[in-house]
Amino acid sequence: MNKLLLIILNCCLGSLFMGFCLGQMNVISSDVYNVYKIDDTFTKGLMQSLLTIGGGVGSISASILMGLFSRRKCLQITDLFGMMAIMIAFMDESKYALLTSRFFVGLVLGLNGVLVPVYINEMSPKEKAGILGTMNQLFITLGILTTFLMSSFQDFSLPIPFYKMMLYLPIIPCIIRASALSTVFKYETPVYCAKHHLNQQLHKVVEMIYKDKAEKMYEQFQSSQKSTERRMTINQLLSSKYRSRLFIGISLASLQQLGGINGIMFYSSSIFDQVTGQASKKVFYLNLIVGFIGVFTALLATVIIEQFGRKPILKYGTLWCFISLLMLTFVMSNSIGNTSFGSYLIVICIFSYLFGFGFSLGPLLFIYLTEILPDLGVSVSGLMNWMSGGLVAQMFPIIASYDISYCFALFSIFNFIAYMIIQQKVIETKGLDKETVDKYFENQKFDYIPYQEAYQEDRFR
């Protein structure tokens, strides 16, 4: 299990890359705008929107990449793209090169957003899939926290300008992961090996993961993959077998972003500026708390996911987000929001929302989607996730210019819709393999069979 954990942690360096790149502009945007002479609103918007457009392209490309290459090679190709994306900004210090770099960084984020959860899910034993799956979100939050911590070095004398260091640092996790996958962690996932009849590699990786149960699991992987399609098509994904699951994937992936997480993460500094009266030190510490909340809740998710399962955490976490945003809307739309007490309430509501998101929709969404959907379905859901994130990033400042409370009112509505979909459509997948999940959806027995009964192997015989 120790070696498996190291393999998963190495894979999650892609998530660290994601978190750092998502958070870096929060710290260096003013310096970047000054140095690259970006003074028009349109170009400033492109700095965020190109990241989300690239993310959408990367998400849908992940399925194509997985159809052409093995899981390990897909991760290595992604890291090569990551190095290239960073080097574009390094080779030509113009705003056009920076914007090009932002698009390709987004492409890498989209690829990692699909490939990392799929790789973890296929590598993990059923009973550990939830715990190991939360490592993805943990490393994203660690990346975001790192950017906030790095901001304390802005006033230090450094060999290169601070903004350059922040732009170039993400190349490090790409180099480390690609090198480790080429040397010490040369394992394909058991699912991939079984699907492509790589019996020798399957035996090797199953022995590493399952130890004493290796022979039994080797036989199970071989038998379970005999009837699996080698390549999923759009027509198959839209068939009655997957239609309801695709609806869950697309709707929850979209609502995760429409529920406000990137609206708050992209513009947290602006919100805290307004609340604190532009007290820079207070803003720094508030952003730091945001980062620590993300890390803490991701760690909390690793503890509670296997104890309570997927559906309860998704449901009650989303309800928590809805209530927090509803309270935030009330405070901001009321005269109380202009008082010092109201400012404290605004910060508390934002922290409360981030706490609810951080242990539910944040870490669990793509864990759940990899358990119910094929690769193409996860990619399509990822595409909708990035498109929705881009829509929020573009529309948030426009709506906020009229009244920022309107933004949080919309976010609360979207969270309530997500809650209703989770309540009505989501089934518990804790400890289930793909074959059992298929039979659950085909039989439509979502509300009548407790998930524990799925462990009875003769149920569907």
Side-chain angles (χ1 to χ4, degrees):
M1 190 64 188
N2 289 337
K3 190 165 188 179
L4 174 62
L5 181 60
L6 290 175
I7 290 171
I8 299 300
L9 294 179
N10 179 64
C11 176
C12 287
L13 288 175
S15 306
L16 188 71
F17 178 94
M18 284 183 70
F20 195 94
C21 292
L22 287 171
Q24 65 186 174
M25 281 299 163
N26 235 343
V27 176
I28 62 172
S29 58
S30 58
D31 289 339
V32 167
Y33 296 155
N34 288 333
V35 171
Y36 289 89
K37 296 181 174 57
I38 298 172
D39 50 14
D40 59 296
T41 306
F42 177 75
T43 308
K44 287 179 181 180
L46 276 180
M47 292 294 291
Q48 294 296 357
S49 60
L50 280 174
L51 199 70
T52 56
I53 292 168
V57 173
S59 292
I60 203 66
S61 300
S63 175
I64 300 170
L65 209 60
M66 286 189 283
L68 297 173
F69 303 100
S70 70
R71 305 299 194 241
R72 183 173 66 91
K73 285 181 180 176
C74 286
L75 292 174
Q76 290 174 306
I77 291 169
T78 299
D79 288 331
L80 288 175
F81 273 118
M83 293 178 219
M84 181 193 75
I86 303 301
M87 291 302 293
I88 289 172
F90 179 77
M91 289 185 292
D92 183 3
E93 295 184 1
S94 70
K95 69 177 179 181
Y96 302 106
L98 182 63
L99 290 170
T100 305
S101 174
R102 291 291 283 175
F103 171 78
F104 281 105
V105 165
L107 179 73
V108 175
L109 299 190
L111 287 169
N112 273 315
V114 174
L115 293 173
V116 171
V118 167
Y119 186 87
I120 294 173
N121 179 265
E122 293 187 1
M123 267 291 186
S124 306
K126 282 188 301 184
E127 65 276 10
K128 298 292 183 184
I131 294 173
L132 293 175
T134 58
M135 295 294 108
N136 177 36
Q137 183 68 15
L138 175 61
F139 271 66
I140 291 174
T141 56
L142 283 171
I144 293 171
L145 176 60
T146 302
T147 62
F148 292 146
L149 289 170
M150 290 292 292
S151 65
S152 61
F153 292 97
Q154 276 181 304
D155 299 326
F156 281 61
S157 178
L158 300 168
I160 62 171
F162 176 74
Y163 77 90
K164 280 190 179 182
M165 183 179 71
M166 291 293 286
L167 287 173
Y168 302 152
L169 272 177
I171 202 171
I172 296 174
C174 295
I175 294 170
I176 294 173
R177 188 174 73 172
S179 301
L181 287 169
S182 301
T183 53
V184 290
F185 299 137
K186 298 168 70 173
Y187 292 98
E188 300 297 347
T189 68
V191 173
Y192 177 84
C193 292
K195 208 179 269 190
H196 293 81
H197 309 290
L198 305 174
N199 295 332
Q200 190 173 354
Q201 290 188 48
L202 175 62
H203 208 283
K204 183 181 177 183
V205 70
V206 165
E207 278 188 341
M208 182 272 295
I209 296 172
Y210 295 97
K211 308 290 189 221
D212 298 337
K213 298 179 181 178
E215 286 303 321
K216 181 182 176 182
M217 295 307 301
Y218 176 77
E219 292 173 6
Q220 281 190 21
F221 275 112
Q222 283 194 315
S223 61
S224 67
Q225 295 302 328
K226 281 180 181 176
S227 60
T228 304
E229 302 95 340
R230 289 177 66 89
R231 184 85 176 268
M232 175 66 63
T233 65
I234 287 290
N235 286 338
Q236 288 172 325
L237 188 64
L238 295 174
S239 68
S240 57
K241 179 178 180 181
Y242 292 106
R243 199 174 298 144
S244 61
R245 281 178 270 184
L246 185 62
F247 168 77
I248 293 171
I250 288 175
S251 58
L252 291 186
S254 301
L255 289 166
Q256 186 206 51
Q257 294 297 322
L258 295 174
I261 184 59
N262 274 343
I264 290 175
M265 291 306 296
F266 284 162
Y267 300 101
S268 63
S269 294
S270 301
I271 296 169
F272 294 148
D273 265 341
Q274 185 179 336
V275 167
T276 61
Q278 297 186 324
S280 57
K281 276 199 171 181
K282 288 182 180 178
V283 172
F284 168 74
Y285 288 122
L286 288 172
N287 276 328
L288 212 55
I289 293 170
V290 167
F292 278 115
I293 287 173
V295 173
F296 173 75
T297 50
L299 288 170
L300 178 65
T302 65
V303 176
I304 63 177
I305 185 171
E306 292 304 332
Q307 185 175 355
F308 297 104
R310 281 57 159 163
K311 181 170 181 174
I313 300 173
L314 284 170
K315 183 169 70 171
Y316 294 117
T318 305
L319 185 62
W320 185 313
C321 291
F322 163 68
I323 294 170
S324 300
L325 289 170
L326 202 62
M327 292 173 62
L328 184 58
T329 303
F330 173 77
V331 174
M332 284 194 148
S333 61
N334 199 290
S335 58
I336 194 174
N338 298 321
T339 66
S340 57
F341 176 67
S343 297
Y344 286 119
L345 283 179
I346 289 170
V347 171
I348 289 169
C349 288
I350 289 174
F351 287 168
S352 176
Y353 164 76
L354 292 172
F355 183 85
F357 180 88
F359 71 81
S360 59
L361 271 176
L364 292 193
L365 175 64
F366 278 91
I367 294 174
Y368 186 75
L369 296 189
T370 57
E371 292 176 341
I372 67 169
L373 285 169
D375 298 344
L376 182 58
V378 178
S379 286
V380 171
S381 301
L383 171 63
M384 295 306 297
N385 185 262
W386 281 102
M387 287 175 65
S388 302
L391 181 64
V392 171
Q394 288 295 112
M395 295 305 295
F396 185 95
I398 297 171
I399 299 173
S401 66
Y402 293 97
D403 191 329
I404 196 169
S405 66
Y406 293 168
C407 296
F408 298 112
L410 284 171
F411 294 158
S412 64
I413 291 169
F414 286 128
N415 273 279
F416 183 73
I417 294 170
Y419 168 77
M420 294 303 296
I421 290 172
I422 293 166
Q423 173 70 18
Q424 297 297 322
K425 297 292 185 180
V426 166
I427 68 165
E428 183 56 71
T429 57
K430 174 184 171 182
L432 306 187
D433 56 27
K434 282 280 180 78
E435 187 179 6
T436 308
V437 169
D438 284 346
K439 289 174 179 175
Y440 263 72
F441 276 100
E442 287 167 14
N443 293 339
Q444 298 288 301
K445 295 179 179 178
F446 307 144
D447 299 322
Y448 307 107
I449 307 170
Y451 71 85
Q452 290 90 343
E453 293 186 33
Y455 290 108
Q456 301 172 8
E457 293 184 355
D458 60 343
R459 177 168 187 83
F460 297 108
R461 289 178 184 174

